[in-house]
Amino acid sequence: MAEILRENGVIHLRNDAISYVMCEMPGGVPAHLYFGPRLERLDPKNLLRRAGVAADGSYSVQECSLDRLPQEYPSFGLGDMREGALTAQAPDGNCAVDLRLVGVETPGEKPALEGLPATRGEGCAALRLRLRDEHTGLEVELNYAIYDDCPAVARSAKLINTGAAALTVTRALSLCLDLPDDGWDLITLSGSWARERAIHRRPVTQGHQGVSSRRGASSLQVSPFMALARPDANEARGEVIGAALVYSGNFIAEVEGTQYEAARALLGINDRDFAWRLESGAAFQAPEAVLVYSDRGIGGMSRGFHRLWENHLLPRRWVGKARPVLLNSWEGCYFDFDEDKLVAMAAAAAKAGVELFVMDDGWFGHRDDDTTSLGDWGVDARKLPGGLGRLGERVRALGLQFGIWMEPEMISPESDLFRAHPDWCIHIPGRESITARHQLTLDMSRQDVQDFVVEAVSTTLKDSGATYLKWDMNRNFSNIGSALLPPERQQELPHRYMLGLYSVMQRLTDAFPDVLFEGCSSGGGRFDAGMLYYVPQFWCSDDTDALMRCRIQYGTSLVFPASTMGSHVSAVPNHQTGRVTPMETRFAVAMGGSFGYELDPCKLSDADREAMRAQVAFAGRTQDLRLYGSLYRLCSPYEGNLTAWISVAPDKGEAIFTLVRAMSQPNPVAPLVRLDGLDPARRYRIVETGEVYGGDELMRSGLCCPLGQCDAASVLYTLKAVDE
Ligand code: DGJ
């Protein structure tokens, strides 16, 4: 059970697994003391001695001791020389903020964050610190929550201007975590289009290290996440702290190694090109950041995140629920289709047992390639003369659900929408706008644009009867300006865009509760905890090559569970890499996520069509285990030729194990893989081979896995405990 203890100025949040401890310093600066395994109590003088604080608690601001003091929400300019969490410019031009504690409250429940996604607070204890800068009247509410069921703490900051004059907030981060030592490695996820979320690990050294996005989205290139791992921590063992931002826009995630051998981790909205005018009486809500603690390695951190998102973030109506096996038309026919062709694809998919047929890009305006029509969401009668309604009906007549693609945040210069509303896009008046993929971005900060998007998506869903919507977003911001915002608010645009987008997502998911929304952004370019509040799954990457997907899904799984990763079998040679991999391996890898196909089933060989039928049946039977089991990563594609993972049922009665070997070798040796997460006291039958082994043997000695003699060979085994 989560609880909050308060004694002699020490504030202690704890549950069965972890503690988070802070205290009030003389003068009111809130100091951070501890985040780690559960403690009975913590004596501040012990730890604060390291920060130069005398045993009686006194320390001297004049002597710049703030530069050593571990703090909850520091600011720069009044003695702390490190990067701070908050900067606000007063009318006199000065930017210093001196926050002192003026109140500690324990609200009955975790407050929702106005306009922003955040973890839901059922089963948690909530705390609020009220801080105030007397000079400007700026108040900050620091909200904390600790959950009953996860080794996690959520934090957020709300700024309120109680002063008489307007302030300009130029930095308002969500999280500062001051750690007493710098003996950590920093783990981040970064990459590119079709190479998302590769794992990078580097030692924390004095100075700054981290990742950031200024693209208007969390991005393909970096993820709003970081982990601090002890240098000896690995997948299964050691201390790891993960931090993730529940936000989909510009962010920074960085660690500063200090002169005093301490480390400061910071996470929040990127302050570059950010300025928020806070009028007297106005408030600014910074997004939520969550911290997860693990003393069971990186794997333990991941399972902490997975449980947190499943229990507290993902749309409730989809958690634990079956996801339809889908076939998406994109790689099967791209823009080249008509009604009969789509229906033929759907019919072949239906024969294999597929449950949902998704028509991807190219059905609207005059869109035969990516140069036109975004924003013109009327059906292209040349391709679909019977409209969305007739196509939907024909697909449903085959026993399938119907799904559709849209890219609602975008506008093509070559569109009726642009001709009617040239000022609706993000642009700088008087400067030529730069297109990417021949398109511009709608200014989602505008109410009229938000209303247009809600209307367009609602009409499309109603006309088509679609029960699935793939929400794509294929370019980042440039020429960042809004026609409606006054000059002093132009730098608010990226965050206002996110607020507008979140509002639209909320309206649509409320209005269409039974529609499965899948997020997408050139693949996984906005795969973050912010979007996952609205959409339960995200197209993981445009790269459908099985070997590349091993890396991408492995990296993604550091933070996100299998159920959130859209993962499809595609044709070979693979369209992104040109590689030919066996059908069974493409399937084994796609089993690591929300499963589907990305090909034209009419073009499959009879053998592959037959295999597809068996695959769909297997996917259905194993869905709960694959999507909602506990994940243990076993072999890393970043470290060698093998990728392996196992997903284990909560009662450890069943598991599903996947192993992929990238390159074959002459004179091969069968891999011996130690499984994890099983019950060592039980025996398990490998369903596919009929062999029975003890859990202890599988976990401690390993499972020998002979593989076919080819590149990208794999095994996919289901294990069932035999309790007799
Ligand atoms: C990018 C997506 O990631 C693809 O899956 C596909 O939907 C295309 N956009 C369509 O334009």
Side-chain angles (χ1 to χ4, degrees):
M1 278 293 279
E3 57 183 346
I4 292 167
L5 311 170
R6 291 177 60 191
E7 199 180 22
N8 301 329
V10 175
I11 304 167
H12 186 161
L13 287 70
R14 76 176 177 198
N15 63 20
D16 296 343
I18 58 161
S19 285
Y20 186 107
V21 190
M22 46 201 154
C23 74
E24 181 181 352
M25 300 302 293
V29 173
H32 176 77
L33 296 178
Y34 177 83
F35 179 53
R38 177 188 160 107
L39 298 176
E40 279 315 305
R41 64 180 53 78
L42 185 143
D43 185 341
K45 74 171 176 306
N46 177 23
L47 194 79
L48 288 175
R49 205 172 279 149
R50 187 174 162 85
V53 177
D56 65 358
S58 61
Y59 70 110
S60 160
V61 173
Q62 272 64 37
E63 296 306 319
C64 276
S65 295
L66 273 180
D67 198 31
R68 300 181 76 140
L69 190 73
Q71 294 165 64
E72 282 299 313
Y73 204 66
S75 57
F76 175 78
L78 293 172
D80 187 343
M81 308 294 174
R82 297 164 288 185
E83 291 289 347
L86 176 69
T87 317
Q89 188 170 37
D92 60 9
N94 291 313
C95 295
V97 183
D98 185 4
L99 293 175
R100 306 294 172 111
L101 198 62
V102 291
V104 180
E105 298 160 8
T106 46
E109 49 191 50
K110 178 177 185 284
L113 270 61
E114 203 185 326
L116 286 168
T119 55
R120 283 181 289 271
E122 296 90 9
C124 79
L127 173 83
R128 178 179 299 138
L129 304 187
R130 283 191 184 281
L131 315 177
R132 181 176 167 80
D133 174 42
E134 276 308 332
H135 193 73
T136 57
L138 180 60
E139 291 197 358
V140 177
E141 279 180 19
L142 293 183
N143 283 297
Y144 296 78
I146 181 163
Y147 308 87
D148 293 340
D149 54 356
C150 302
V153 169
R155 290 192 46 180
S156 62
K158 182 176 177 182
L159 280 47
I160 305 147
N161 183 0
T162 69
L167 301 169
T168 303
V169 177
T170 49
R171 184 169 167 101
L173 300 187
S174 301
L175 167 78
C176 170
L177 183 68
D178 272 341
L179 296 164
D181 74 272
D182 59 2
W184 301 93
D185 286 348
L186 172 66
I187 299 174
T188 52
L189 298 173
S190 49
S192 181
W193 174 74
R195 290 190 269 110
E196 297 93 331
R197 289 174 296 285
I199 299 172
H200 293 269
R201 183 168 180 162
R202 53 191 140 157
V204 169
T205 56
Q206 194 173 336
H208 300 271
Q209 42 259 296
V211 290
S212 64
S213 167
R214 278 205 280 171
R215 294 170 175 272
S218 50
S219 86
L220 296 156
Q221 289 75 13
V222 281
S223 287
F225 154 80
M226 64 183 151
L228 290 164
R230 291 298 184 189
D232 62 355
N234 62 20
E235 241 336 281
R237 274 177 298 282
E239 197 176 21
V240 182
I241 294 172
L245 193 64
V246 187
Y247 190 61
S248 315
N250 296 344
F251 73 92
I252 55 166
E254 69 169 38
V255 184
E256 180 176 356
T258 78
Q259 59 175 332
Y260 298 117
E261 296 167 22
R264 169 171 285 180
L266 296 163
L267 183 60
I269 291 180
N270 197 334
D271 58 332
R272 290 259 186 103
D273 305 307
F274 168 84
W276 193 276
R277 188 174 161 84
L278 203 58
E279 300 291 348
S280 171
F284 176 83
Q285 176 67 62
E288 181 169 87
V290 298
L291 288 164
V292 169
Y293 178 81
S294 163
D295 54 10
R296 302 221 32 217
I298 303 165
M301 174 201 72
S302 297
R303 290 185 291 281
F305 273 123
H306 297 179
R307 183 191 275 201
L308 179 68
W309 305 143
E310 280 165 356
N311 293 358
H312 297 277
L313 182 84
L314 293 162
R316 265 205 215 90
R317 54 193 170 275
W318 289 106
V319 176
K321 298 279 161 33
R323 306 285 168 86
V325 174
L326 67 85
L327 185 134
N328 179 296
S329 67
W330 180 240
E331 287 196 19
C333 58
Y334 295 103
F335 295 100
D336 180 20
F337 60 79
D338 60 18
E339 185 178 315
D340 286 342
K341 185 165 181 176
L342 293 178
V343 172
M345 287 171 75
K351 271 196 194 139
V354 166
E355 296 159 302
L356 164 68
F357 176 77
V358 180
M359 173 174 62
D360 208 280
D361 196 353
W363 58 266
F364 51 92
H366 295 277
R367 192 157 160 97
D368 297 327
D369 54 34
D370 59 15
T371 58
T372 76
S373 302
L374 292 169
D376 295 348
W377 296 110
V379 75
D380 183 347
R382 296 169 308 154
K383 295 181 186 175
L384 303 176
L388 291 176
R390 190 168 81 191
L391 176 64
E393 271 164 32
R394 289 183 70 187
V395 169
R396 278 187 289 277
L398 296 164
L400 293 168
Q401 298 171 49
F402 180 63
I404 198 162
W405 175 100
M406 291 183 81
E407 194 177 357
E409 299 159 66
M410 295 293 151
I411 180 166
S412 304
E414 184 46 52
S415 67
D416 292 341
L417 185 68
F418 187 77
R419 284 182 280 275
H421 299 286
D423 60 335
W424 273 17
C425 64
I426 289 180
H427 68 289
I428 302 176
R431 287 189 194 274
E432 193 184 346
S433 287
I434 293 165
T435 55
R437 209 192 186 209
H438 312 285
Q439 65 200 51
L440 300 167
T441 310
L442 281 174
D443 179 356
M444 295 291 286
S445 73
R446 297 173 59 129
Q447 189 63 49
D448 48 5
V449 170
Q450 294 168 30
D451 293 343
F452 166 80
V453 169
V454 169
E455 180 63 29
V457 174
S458 303
T459 305
T460 303
L461 287 172
K462 282 183 199 145
D463 288 355
S464 62
T467 53
Y468 165 104
L469 185 101
K470 180 174 171 185
W471 184 294
D472 206 347
M473 195 280 281
N474 285 308
R475 68 155 291 176
N476 290 151
F477 293 0
S478 67
N479 298 70
I480 303 167
S482 169
L484 287 193
L485 291 174
E488 68 278 14
R489 289 195 181 275
Q490 286 291 324
Q491 287 191 302
E492 297 177 9
L493 178 59
H495 182 59
R496 287 190 180 276
Y497 182 99
M498 293 318 307
L499 294 175
L501 174 65
Y502 289 145
S503 162
V504 164
M505 298 303 298
Q506 189 68 58
R507 287 165 69 185
L508 285 167
T509 50
D510 283 349
F512 297 93
D514 298 326
V515 169
L516 172 57
F517 288 80
E518 176 157 351
C520 177
S521 176
S522 307
R526 207 166 51 189
F527 196 144
D528 55 59
M531 285 313 284
L532 288 174
Y533 178 80
Y534 305 96
V535 305
Q537 58 192 58
F538 213 95
W539 181 225
C540 200
S541 175
D542 272 351
D543 196 336
T544 55
D545 171 74
L547 293 185
M548 286 303 297
R549 272 298 183 118
C550 281
R551 298 173 66 87
I552 295 165
Q553 293 175 197
Y554 193 97
T556 306
S557 77
L558 251 58
V559 189
F560 299 111
S563 68
T564 63
M565 292 188 233
S567 187
H568 300 170
V569 171
S570 62
V572 288
N574 179 266
H575 294 194
Q576 295 78 38
T577 62
R579 196 170 1 245
V580 176
T581 53
M583 175 76 155
E584 67 198 39
T585 299
R586 282 174 273 149
F587 173 65
V589 174
M591 285 283 82
S594 274
F595 178 63
Y597 292 87
E598 191 89 8
L599 45 71
D600 181 351
C602 305
K603 292 185 182 152
L604 288 179
S605 67
D606 289 346
D608 278 352
R609 244 199 300 269
E610 205 43 52
M612 190 172 162
R613 207 190 318 272
Q615 290 173 353
V616 174
F618 181 91
R621 280 201 303 279
T622 55
Q623 166 137 228
D624 274 1
L625 192 53
R626 291 186 295 103
L627 298 189
Y628 304 112
S630 294
L631 177 78
Y632 294 81
R633 290 177 296 262
L634 306 172
C635 304
S636 168
Y638 295 92
E639 288 165 13
N641 201 21
L642 300 177
T643 307
W645 68 90
I646 188 168
S647 183
V648 183
D651 67 358
K652 297 181 187 283
E654 277 185 290
I656 184 161
F657 164 69
T658 310
L659 168 69
V660 178
R661 187 190 58 204
M663 287 229 305
S664 76
Q665 296 159 325
N667 197 8
V669 181
L672 182 65
V673 182
R674 285 188 193 167
L675 308 190
D676 202 351
L678 301 175
D679 181 345
R682 289 164 98 171
R683 293 174 67 69
Y684 291 88
R685 168 174 288 110
I686 299 172
V687 175
E688 287 73 15
T689 65
E691 293 166 355
V692 177
Y693 300 107
D696 56 350
E697 177 182 336
L698 293 170
M699 295 172 76
R700 293 165 193 162
S701 173
L703 177 65
C704 179
C705 305
L707 290 161
Q709 191 56 350
C710 63
D711 287 346
S714 63
V715 295
L716 178 63
Y717 288 152
T718 39
L719 285 74
K720 285 202 191 308
V722 279
D723 287 326
E724 69 275 11

